[in-house]
Amino acid sequence: MNMPTTLFPAPDAAAPGVTLIVDHVTAYRYDAPVELAHHLGYLRPMNDASQVVEAYTLEVTPVPPGIDEAVDGFGNTRSTFALYAPHEALTVRATSRVTIHPRFTALDSAAGLPWEAALERLRYDPAMPYAPEVEFTFASPFVPLHAELRAYGLLSFTPGRSVAEAALDLMHRIHADFCYQPAHTQVSTPILDAFQERMGVCQDFAHVMIGCLRAIGLPARYVSGYLMSQPPPGQPRLIGADASHAWVSVHCAGVGINGDWIDMDPTNDVVPGTAHVVLACGRDYGDVTPLRGVIRGGGHELNVRVTVAPMDEFPTGTQA
């Protein structure tokens, strides 16, 4: 599938950003008291020139002795906490107020290096400076390299095409060829299963696209975040109706914006604008899981509610 060159309009420097409230509630209910728990989360949105975190709170019930924050090797904020007293339930609520400015309005998909030249730049040369994007060309736990993914990806990477133009074409093809099917896959579902069945959720769409790009030899990152959904016309926005989301960031050498990293959402077939909130970036889902932990105790029932809405539409009393 050859798509025409896409030229997005230049950004309006006077245009204000969009301020969103994100309310993310994770609730565990255990079938036996948990005696000891250690948890790690990526719940604070990324803060940079295009996404400004104006307020953020993290509430944990029962209250832990403390919550530690640190920056990981990919530049994400990581939160950790531990509970040492027996408890039968755990609730973690992260609430953020974020102002988002469009990152990619000036994207010219024909700009940048042809993909063959980009591959050549990534080859190891001891006389050349280290290119940090090389780290995202290798296999990772959730994204092993497969010949099938390479063959599928190369259909978009025709000779002389720019990385951005070819990657956008790959995004279009995945969106057209794959069916979004909630609950069809699990976190542990191998990427090749989702690829062969052409079915899954946003995590699968992202992993498949990343796998195609890396199998060719091009850098691609996994992006964890949120997407603001729109209610049907005339209907109020539902609280807790949104969900965590995932998409892809592709290194498009020479494109000249956002450090040459261009985000693409194959689940929705869009280049993210002001409705996407970035939490964290990594090699795959395992690097940036919103919340995970180790417990000593019984099994659990999990419930997650996410609401993303403009600040003026969010219910009073829940804003950060």
Side-chain angles (χ1 to χ4, degrees):
M1 177 189 298
N2 289 319
M3 301 297 294
T5 296
T6 302
L7 180 62
F8 293 87
D12 180 358
V18 175
T19 300
L20 303 177
I21 301 294
V22 180
D23 190 49
H24 184 165
V25 181
T26 305
Y28 294 92
R29 186 168 296 280
Y30 305 109
D31 56 20
V34 169
E35 300 174 354
L36 176 65
H38 290 268
H39 293 277
L40 181 153
Y42 288 90
L43 293 165
R44 179 189 284 270
M46 187 174 290
N47 194 66
D48 59 25
S50 298
Q51 179 174 287
V52 179
V53 180
E54 299 178 349
Y56 169 79
T57 60
L58 182 62
E59 301 173 72
V60 179
T61 307
V63 179
I67 300 175
D68 295 322
E69 283 194 347
V71 177
D72 71 6
F74 300 116
N76 308 305
T77 300
R78 177 182 62 210
S79 303
T80 56
F81 62 89
L83 296 167
Y84 303 103
H87 52 285
E88 298 180 349
L90 170 69
T91 302
V92 179
R93 183 173 196 169
T95 309
S96 309
R97 185 171 75 248
V98 185
T99 297
I100 303 171
H101 301 269
R103 297 174 189 265
F104 309 111
T105 49
L107 173 62
D108 178 356
S109 65
L113 295 180
W115 68 272
E116 301 94 334
L119 278 182
E120 189 62 32
R121 283 183 53 175
L122 295 170
R123 296 184 188 278
Y124 175 70
D125 184 343
M128 296 296 291
Y130 169 71
E133 61 269 17
V134 171
E135 180 174 6
F136 297 97
T137 63
F138 299 108
S140 59
F142 283 84
V143 188
L145 303 184
H146 290 291
E148 289 184 56
L149 296 176
R150 174 179 169 83
Y152 182 86
L154 282 173
L155 296 175
S156 294
F157 285 80
T158 51
R161 210 172 195 186
S162 73
V163 178
E165 189 173 55
L168 285 168
D169 183 71
L170 176 60
M171 176 185 75
H172 298 320
R173 289 176 48 231
I174 291 173
H175 178 77
D177 293 348
F178 286 67
C179 176
Y180 183 85
Q181 186 64 51
H184 181 75
T185 56
Q186 306 295 324
V187 170
S188 59
T189 299
I191 184 176
L192 210 53
D193 288 4
F195 174 73
Q196 291 170 344
E197 294 179 11
R198 300 293 198 269
M199 192 175 295
V201 294
C202 59
Q203 173 188 300
D204 302 299
F205 281 57
H207 281 157
V208 166
M209 184 168 175
I210 291 169
C212 291
L213 292 162
R214 290 187 191 163
I216 294 170
L218 295 166
R221 303 185 298 199
Y222 182 97
V223 185
S224 169
Y226 307 106
L227 174 61
M228 178 178 65
S229 61
Q230 296 296 332
Q235 298 297 314
R237 191 176 301 278
L238 299 177
I239 302 304
D242 300 290
S244 297
H245 192 45
W247 58 97
V248 179
S249 191
V250 185
H251 191 268
C252 302
V255 78
I257 60 172
N258 200 50
D260 286 346
W261 286 99
I262 307 301
D263 289 8
M264 302 181 191
D265 181 351
T267 305
N268 295 288
D269 199 23
V270 297
V271 173
T274 56
H276 287 69
V277 180
V278 178
L279 270 180
C281 297
R283 297 168 301 165
D284 57 35
Y285 172 81
D287 284 338
V288 292
T289 307
L291 186 66
R292 61 184 174 186
V294 177
I295 64 172
R296 187 165 68 196
H300 67 265
E301 177 185 327
L302 172 64
N303 180 266
V304 179
R305 294 185 296 109
V306 177
T307 303
V308 184
M311 187 168 63
D312 58 357
E313 295 183 26
F314 217 90
T316 303
T318 57
Q319 298 185 17

